[in-house]
Amino acid sequence: MDDDRRFMQMALDLAALGAGRTSPNPMVGAVVVRDGQVVGEGYHQRAGGPHAEVLAIDAAGERAFGATLYVTLEPCNHYGRTPPCTEKILAAGIRRVVVAMGDPNPTVAGGGNARLQAAGLVVEAGLLADAAARLNEAWIKYIRTGLPFVVLKCAATLDGCIATRTGDARWVTGPAAREEVHRLRSRMDAILVGVGTVLADDPRLTARLPDGSGHDPLRIVLDARLEMPPDARMLGLDSPAATLIVCGEAADPDRRQRLEAAGARVLAAPLDQGRIDLNDLMRRLGTMAVTSVLIEGGARVAAAALAGKVVDKVMFFYASKILGGEGVPMCRGPGAERMAEAIAVHDLEIERIGDDILVAGYLWSRRSFFDTGVRNSHVHRHH
């Protein structure tokens, strides 16, 4: 069992290498083991590309015969852009398959585990299922609901301010925390801010990592009246990711034309009390196969996201500093009137990052979310 855990952890580590690049597919890793030795490994690298099992079995070659396959998600059993992984496993002569988690989509008939078991293979499911589910938490929500998984990130002082009273926010946290945010951006499909953040900071909203491996997410700006200047830095970037400006349906067409000429995509959307309706926007993003969204600011957007109940997870970075007076709070909005109405945060985790502290948690019970149908349900993947 210790060996099983070790090899499955290897598969999970491989799967994580696909972070930010497999959407709208899940991250999947696979390891082929024969006589206690790893003879093949692989991970899903991009949507439409070979699945992890195929790469691992191809790497193993003839050594896959009689071997054990460790895979982080139940193998697919249907034709898409690629043939079913179950057929590849059977043709290779794999004897035993250890699966971390089943597919979270309860509507898919049939399944990889059942197909392999029917062919006489030993199939064991559920090893490190929680870790596998957490790795693909965004995909799990998306495949079940059609909505993106939303993370609200804030960087604040210990007394809860994201900027000084003059609006200065450079820099709240230290270099290590800022690098961690860029890693987080690189794992997400989209990053969202309000136009106030653009006007105040003119951010690039890219994923800048020291080794150059960052994957830029889609940049989304909430701008009901199209106040964003056409010369904003994010519109002049050498980046494969697009900038999507979301405006009200009555926004000035001339401003829209100027922004589109500068390279932006503009989406007209319904307003809710003068602000972009975030619930409607998340539904639209889901239809665009955006599986995850990182909300970075500002204070009114954060409050609106929480009030609209679109947030799944919070990641609050607290700097080891105090403003000691008036500043811009993390959230600007009505908020709860009574402490009993405050939003509960579940599965709280605290981590030291450089001189700063990361507090992260979920706005629902992660265990109940992952346990529902994750362990033994059937597989459905985009090919």
Side-chain angles (χ1 to χ4, degrees):
M1 189 63 181
D2 287 344
D3 282 347
D4 282 347
R5 292 181 68 88
R6 179 164 61 89
F7 292 131
M8 184 60 79
Q9 187 60 57
M10 289 178 61
L12 287 166
D13 292 343
L14 285 165
L17 296 176
R21 291 168 170 80
T22 64
S23 182
N25 282 8
M27 292 172 274
V28 184
V31 175
V32 179
V33 176
R34 182 171 172 178
D35 299 326
Q37 299 295 318
V38 175
V39 295
E41 57 183 44
Y43 69 96
H44 187 45
Q45 299 175 23
R46 59 179 179 82
H51 286 188
E53 303 94 311
V54 172
L55 293 171
I57 291 171
D58 283 347
E62 294 181 355
R63 294 173 296 178
F65 189 83
T68 295
L69 171 69
Y70 296 84
V71 62
T72 59
L73 181 66
E74 182 181 1
C76 63
N77 190 42
H78 66 281
Y79 283 88
R81 291 190 221 174
T82 57
C85 289
T86 50
E87 300 306 311
K88 181 77 172 183
I89 293 167
L90 294 174
I94 294 285
R95 179 182 59 83
R96 175 175 174 248
V97 179
V98 182
V99 177
M101 62 173 275
D103 187 273
N105 187 343
T107 65
V108 179
N113 288 353
R115 172 74 180 95
L116 296 174
Q117 286 175 323
L121 276 68
V122 175
V123 179
E124 301 169 15
L127 180 64
L128 299 184
D130 287 343
R134 182 160 188 177
L135 180 69
N136 278 309
E137 59 191 9
W139 179 74
I140 290 172
K141 183 191 177 186
Y142 174 72
I143 210 69
R144 283 183 180 167
T145 67
L147 298 171
F149 184 88
V150 179
V151 177
L152 173 62
K153 168 258 164 183
C154 291
T157 59
L158 287 178
D159 48 349
C161 294
I162 61 173
T164 68
R165 57 185 170 80
T166 64
D168 180 35
R170 293 193 178 178
W171 294 102
V172 178
T173 52
R178 295 202 300 274
E179 183 176 321
E180 184 63 25
V181 170
H182 283 277
R183 294 189 190 284
L184 176 60
R185 288 178 177 179
S186 187
R187 297 195 296 266
M188 307 294 283
D189 285 358
I191 179 172
L192 182 151
V193 299
V195 69
T197 295
V198 178
L199 296 175
D201 300 334
D202 196 16
R204 286 175 283 179
L205 300 185
T206 53
R208 302 182 298 279
L209 296 177
D211 61 0
S213 65
H215 168 76
D216 288 352
L218 169 70
R219 295 173 289 274
I220 302 173
V221 179
L222 305 181
D223 187 5
R225 295 184 296 275
L226 292 181
E227 299 173 274
M228 182 168 165
D231 62 352
R233 280 202 302 174
M234 71 175 72
L235 297 179
L237 296 174
D238 179 16
S239 169
T243 297
L244 176 68
I245 303 175
V246 185
C247 66
E249 290 161 334
D252 188 326
D254 290 336
R255 291 185 180 183
R256 175 171 183 158
Q257 189 174 30
R258 286 195 294 271
L259 287 166
E260 288 177 333
R265 292 164 52 192
V266 180
L267 172 67
L271 299 182
D272 180 14
Q273 298 181 343
R275 304 178 66 82
I276 302 298
D277 185 329
L278 291 179
N279 281 280
D280 178 81
L281 177 59
M282 294 307 154
R283 287 190 290 270
R284 292 179 183 225
L285 293 175
T287 65
M288 295 163 56
V290 173
T291 68
S292 58
V293 176
L294 176 65
I295 297 178
E296 281 212 20
R300 295 195 186 280
V301 172
L306 291 170
K309 298 183 179 179
V310 301
V311 178
D312 297 290
K313 184 178 185 177
V314 293
M315 298 183 72
F316 291 171
F317 292 82
Y318 288 97
S320 53
K321 59 184 68 169
I322 298 169
L323 285 189
E326 294 180 1
V328 179
M330 296 171 76
C331 297
R332 270 185 168 161
E337 291 186 4
R338 298 170 56 84
M339 192 58 68
E341 299 168 353
I343 300 168
V345 182
H346 304 270
D347 301 297
L348 201 67
E349 294 184 353
I350 301 173
E351 179 183 356
R352 178 89 176 258
I353 300 179
D355 291 330
D356 305 317
I357 296 169
L358 169 60
V359 178
Y362 297 80
L363 302 194
W364 33 256
S365 172
R366 182 166 58 89
R367 180 163 295 279
S368 64
F369 182 79
F370 288 163
D371 278 352
T372 307
V374 167
R375 298 179 189 280
N376 298 306
S377 55
H378 298 303
V379 164
H380 168 70
R381 295 193 216 170
H382 298 266
H383 280 249

